[in-house]
Amino acid sequence: MLGPLTVGKKAAKFGYRRFGKLGAVAFGAFAVGGYFIVRRKVKSMMAGDSTATDEDTDAEETEARSKQNQ
């Protein structure tokens, strides 16, 4: 798995080759920031999918029980 340091190092190396010291700092910082944003988004999407499915299932089970009791 790639960590933020690996991503930042590779981006900084690319930025340095292309634009010098300023490019290394800019590319490295943006890459690490993007890494954390993407990681947070993926986690929230994964948590949202499982929660929504569980709530839908619970609602259906409750409705089925109420029909059986009547």
Side-chain angles (χ1 to χ4, degrees), residues 13-59:
K13 187 182 270 188
F14 174 78
Y16 183 76
R17 286 184 195 157
R18 191 113 169 161
F19 301 106
K21 292 178 186 177
L22 186 58
V25 172
F27 273 75
F30 284 126
V32 171
Y35 172 84
F36 284 115
I37 290 171
V38 169
R39 193 173 101 191
R40 184 183 306 169
K41 184 69 174 174
V42 168
K43 279 187 178 181
S44 69
M45 288 176 64
M46 296 295 282
D49 288 343
S50 64
T51 304
T53 305
D54 293 342
E55 289 174 359
D56 293 341
T57 305
D58 291 342

